Amino acid sequence: MENEANGGIVLGHDKEISTLQEEISALRSRQRHLNRTRREALDKLIDLKGSIRVFCRVQPSISTSNIKIKSPVTVEQENIAVRAVGIKKDFSVDRVFDQESTQDDVFHEVRPILRSALDGHNVCILAFGQTGTGKTYTMEGTSDNLGLVPRAIQELFSHAAQDTSSTYSFSISMLEVYMGSLRDLLAPRQQPLFRSIEGNTTCNLSILATTSGSVQVEGLTDVTVPDLKKANQWYSRERRSRSTSWTNVNNVSSRSHCLTRITIRRCGGVTGQVSKLWLVDLGGSERLLKTGASGLIMDEGKAINLSLSALGDVIAALRRKRSHVPYRNSKLTQILSDSLGDGSKVVMVVHISPSKDDVGETICSLGFAKRARLIESSRELSEDLKMLKRKRLAELDKEICDAEQELGVLNAQIRSAERSVEERKKLCPSVCQALSDEKGSPRSILVAGHIDAADSPQATERAKSRMVHHGSVPHFMSATVCSRQRHGAASHSVSKPRLTKSVNTYSSKPSGSQSVSHSASKARSVAFSSGEPRLKYLSVKSDQINVNSNSIDSTVASTPRPRPRESLVSRPVQRAPLHQHRRRMSCLT
Ligand SMILES: Nc1ncnc2c1ncn2[C@@H]1O[C@H](COP(=O)(O)OP(=O)(O)OP(=O)(O)O)[C@@H](O)[C@H]1O
């Protein structure tokens, strides 16, 4: 009697499991459909807005006096007018962030392209502008007002946690481009971080382009970040690396471009995708115009201006859809070449000062923005077309919002159903154990055997229908010696859900991050296993971090190192103009 009761419980569980699995499969099918709808709507929205978008952010006036001086810069939602003696210039951008705008406002506008990065597109967010106008504030922010980089990292992890249709893994790299040389900011520091007087860096990486068009920075450290906490730790370490160099006269990071790369590996279904998110704090652009720089300072300024000009050429060529895009004209554009072109999404935030003293630089920066956009104010869309565009954008926005809302509900339903299945699967073995304790009962053995075979809903269905049709255990189904042995072996190995397996595959084989193709369509067809042996890959799973043969303790990521002092005395004359930057950057440490 007891046996029959237990058997009944198991069958009840079995039926519930199979019903739940059917439910999950229906939910997943709807999830796939919604994901497709959301992705398509997002692609259309970004295409309509433009895959290269230029924003302008006006720095708040930082004045100690109470006297309000009229700024030569006035802004509207998409227009900027600069008026000064003998100057009357108008510029248009995709969106203006005025002096009252918050970090939230900027992030809100950038957010859709982060989703695009998660969908498999390469994405590049650049902060451009005169020194001191808020590029680093926009990108890094402060502890109270997080900037784009920490918010983007947060967004990626938050989305990855919610999305039950795919598994994601992330890794982070950071480098500086200084006078045409590349410096790995996450490399283990065995040598002091300073440059020689000639301007050579202690760490000069080279850029390799693969035949598929993807770009690799040879030997660049790439750290797997399993969770938000680790990602933030590594990001803080990067920031310290950068600020350390700012205190060093011969290693002046204010004269460099700082690039953070987040590599996103996504697995949904049978295929995987790899995409890159570049977050770039470009070097300040004004020094040569304003200061009578000489020597190394002048060379640094020239290097920055040259690479910024090369970047402008590249963006302008892309906007014009030219067949030749001059990526090779600078290291900066070479590194970013697979994230600026076809299939990629670019956002450039041009920073300007509202001050009268900076009118010259403001016009230069806005001229750069204009060149990148290649849209003259006079050739703006007509009001009718603008209205149509706004209407379509609102429709697409709503489509995305609706899909995301439903996806949120679906994700919760799938998770809850999967939990229920797991709970029922856990309950069954104990009942089976109780049944197998009742010796010599062929039915008990059958039920246990059936649970092992119930991994797939089809198997469950088959077995269920047999039970229904025969009412009792058919003779040919009673367990043999072999099946009992199999059952014994199987009960030791718990079958893992597919999603967990995918995660393991990624984290255990991370070395392909550099070797994948750059465009979304190409990336889709690339397997992760195509690793690049020369890439350094740090695993932060354990407390030990390995970079090839070097092994360092992970506390390195959070322990500030003493700053090298050797070069502080080497060129004292050059320290004066950089005083402001050093003070600002040292605030970050
Ligand atoms: N929107 C803003 N809101 C509040 N403070 C700001 C804003 N923009 C800039 N600042 C402040 O202005 C100062 C200079 O900004 P920041 O260091 O970000 O400039 P930058 O363009 O990165 O300069 P550099 O080219 O030297 O790196 C900082 O103290 C920063 O906090």
Side-chain angles (χ1 to χ4, degrees):
M1 285 294 282
E2 201 186 326
N3 253 353
E4 274 180 22
N6 281 338
I9 293 169
V10 172
L11 285 177
H13 276 305
D14 197 29
K15 197 172 168 206
E16 279 170 18
I17 289 174
S18 117
T19 311
L20 282 167
Q21 278 170 336
E22 274 166 23
E23 256 174 44
I24 292 172
S25 127
L27 289 170
R28 284 210 179 279
S29 153
R30 174 80 186 142
Q31 186 187 43
R32 273 193 298 277
H33 168 74
L34 281 173
N35 261 328
R36 215 174 21 250
T37 309
R38 183 197 57 77
R39 254 199 313 272
E40 282 167 10
L42 180 63
D43 280 349
K44 278 183 205 156
L45 182 116
I46 290 176
D47 283 349
L48 198 58
K49 283 184 170 179
S51 51
I52 299 173
R53 304 195 73 207
V54 182
F55 302 148
C56 174
R57 189 173 193 182
V58 189
Q59 190 193 22
S61 307
I62 304 166
S63 165
T64 44
S65 93
N66 288 332
I67 307 160
K68 293 232 167 190
I69 302 165
K70 197 173 177 293
S71 168
V73 179
T74 48
V75 297
E76 287 168 23
Q77 203 181 4
E78 291 173 3
N79 300 313
I80 306 133
V82 186
R83 302 281 183 270
V85 183
I87 298 171
K88 188 171 179 264
K89 298 247 176 204
D90 294 294
F91 299 90
S92 299
V93 290
D94 294 295
R95 166 85 200 258
V96 176
F97 297 103
D98 64 20
Q99 290 176 283
E100 276 76 48
S101 65
T102 61
Q103 301 282 69
D104 234 13
D105 295 335
V106 181
F107 181 69
H108 182 77
E109 201 64 50
V110 164
R111 204 174 185 181
I113 72 159
L114 294 178
R115 294 302 300 270
S116 216
L118 284 161
D119 287 345
H121 295 277
N122 287 344
V123 165
C124 196
I125 301 169
L126 305 132
F128 173 89
Q130 176 193 352
T131 298
T133 47
K135 296 182 295 294
T136 311
Y137 182 82
T138 297
M139 297 309 279
E140 291 184 3
T142 60
S143 49
D144 301 333
N145 271 311
L146 295 180
L148 285 181
V149 184
R151 280 167 193 256
I153 294 174
Q154 223 168 347
E155 171 80 4
L156 297 182
F157 276 98
S158 142
H159 179 80
Q162 282 162 23
D163 188 356
T164 56
S165 66
S166 309
T167 51
Y168 297 88
S169 73
F170 304 103
S171 58
I172 190 165
S173 305
M174 187 168 171
L175 71 151
E176 269 187 341
V177 183
Y178 173 82
M179 289 189 51
S181 297
L182 310 184
R183 187 162 75 92
D184 184 351
L185 291 178
L186 290 186
R189 302 208 204 139
Q190 286 155 356
Q191 298 160 13
L193 285 173
F194 63 88
R195 298 179 178 86
S196 72
I197 287 171
E198 289 79 33
N200 297 323
T201 53
T202 51
C203 185
N204 195 0
L205 309 166
S206 41
I207 305 162
L208 305 173
T210 65
T211 43
S212 65
S214 78
V215 177
Q216 296 164 20
V217 181
E218 196 181 25
L220 179 66
T221 307
D222 195 34
V223 188
T224 305
V225 280
D227 52 45
L228 182 60
K229 195 172 160 218
K230 280 277 178 208
N232 283 333
Q233 269 176 18
W234 280 98
Y235 177 57
S236 304
R237 177 193 153 128
E238 288 176 345
R239 286 170 51 160
R240 275 197 296 274
S241 298
R242 197 184 181 199
S243 59
T244 299
S245 66
W246 280 58
T247 61
N248 186 317
V249 155
N250 288 327
N251 192 15
V252 185
S253 299
S254 63
R255 299 320 196 77
S256 67
H257 308 297
C258 178
L259 296 88
T260 305
R261 183 187 68 191
I262 298 167
T263 306
I264 303 164
R265 294 176 188 81
R266 169 174 158 239
C267 181
V270 286
T271 55
Q273 283 178 343
V274 181
S275 50
K276 297 179 202 172
L277 168 62
W278 283 104
L279 299 140
V280 186
D281 188 355
L282 293 166
S285 58
E286 106 297 353
R287 291 185 181 276
L288 281 186
L289 298 168
K290 215 169 192 178
T291 63
S294 61
L296 185 61
I297 298 263
M298 181 144 154
D299 291 342
E300 286 173 338
K302 273 186 194 161
I304 286 182
N305 283 357
L306 275 176
S307 54
L308 291 177
S309 152
L311 180 66
D313 292 342
V314 163
I315 292 181
L318 289 169
R319 274 264 180 183
R320 283 180 180 145
K321 303 203 182 327
R322 286 265 163 88
S323 56
H324 173 70
V325 182
Y327 290 115
R328 295 186 65 81
N329 288 355
S330 81
K331 283 269 165 68
L332 178 72
T333 47
Q334 272 180 55
I335 296 170
L336 298 177
S337 62
D338 63 354
S339 303
L340 292 173
D342 263 356
S344 308
K345 318 283 173 196
V346 181
V347 165
M348 177 176 288
V349 188
V350 176
H351 293 76
I352 57 169
S353 153
S355 164
K356 205 170 143 226
D357 298 340
D358 297 321
V359 166
E361 285 84 1
T362 298
I363 288 173
C364 276
S365 296
L366 290 170
F368 184 89
K370 182 173 171 176
R371 191 158 161 253
R373 286 190 88 228
L374 272 183
I375 295 172
E376 314 271 344
S377 315
S378 57
R379 283 167 49 203
E380 275 289 293
L381 294 176
S382 71
E383 275 311 310
D384 283 355
L385 280 176
K386 269 189 186 170
M387 216 158 77
L388 271 179
K389 186 176 164 181
R390 271 200 292 272
K391 192 169 161 243
R392 182 68 187 127
L393 286 174
E395 282 167 8
L396 288 167
D397 226 11
K398 184 165 182 317
E399 220 173 290
I400 295 168
C401 268
D402 290 349
E404 276 180 350
Q405 254 175 19
E406 201 184 327
L407 276 168
V409 175
L410 277 178
N411 280 326
Q413 284 174 342
I414 290 171
R415 261 197 301 273
S416 149
E418 279 175 345
R419 263 199 308 274
S420 301
V421 169
E422 285 310 310
E423 276 161 18
R424 275 158 184 76
K425 277 185 178 172
K426 270 185 211 149
L427 279 175
C428 285
S430 59
V431 179
C432 297
Q433 187 58 45
L435 287 171
S436 63
D437 287 347
E438 307 281 333
K439 283 183 196 157
S441 162
R443 182 188 296 227
S444 66
I445 294 164
L446 164 77
V447 173
H450 167 65
I451 289 163
D452 284 340
D455 272 352
S456 71
Q458 293 91 330
T460 315
E461 281 307 309
R462 274 199 306 274
K464 248 182 358 189
S465 78
R466 278 198 293 266
M467 288 291 193
V468 170
H469 288 118
H470 297 284
S472 61
V473 184
H475 182 68
F476 70 90
M477 286 175 75
S478 42
T480 61
V481 173
C482 288
S483 71
R484 260 174 262 158
Q485 280 170 351
R486 269 203 309 277
H487 165 59
S491 64
H492 289 293
S493 62
V494 181
S495 63
K496 289 178 187 162
R498 214 155 37 114
L499 290 175
T500 319
K501 269 187 196 164
S502 322
V503 172
N504 291 341
T505 312
Y506 282 169
S507 50
S508 64
K509 205 115 178 60
S511 57
S513 68
Q514 293 278 332
S515 58
V516 293
S517 103
H518 60 291
S519 75
S521 54
K522 283 177 200 161
R524 268 182 207 113
S525 63
V526 177
F528 299 133
S529 53
S530 53
E532 186 52 45
R534 274 176 290 200
L535 243 196
K536 289 176 191 170
Y537 214 102
L538 302 192
S539 168
V540 285
K541 270 196 158 181
S542 70
D543 278 353
Q544 291 287 305
I545 300 158
N546 291 304
V547 184
N548 293 344
S549 58
N550 303 323
S551 173
I552 54 170
D553 197 282
S554 68
T555 50
V556 169
S558 53
T559 312
R561 286 175 166 260
R563 291 166 182 167
R565 295 203 171 271
E566 293 89 325
S567 52
L568 281 176
V569 289
S570 60
R571 293 177 79 86
V573 182
Q574 292 165 8
R575 293 173 63 192
L578 300 163
H579 171 72
Q580 269 189 320
H581 308 298
R582 281 197 295 276
R583 192 189 45 184
R584 181 179 65 71
M585 290 308 288
S586 61
C587 295
L588 296 172
T589 58

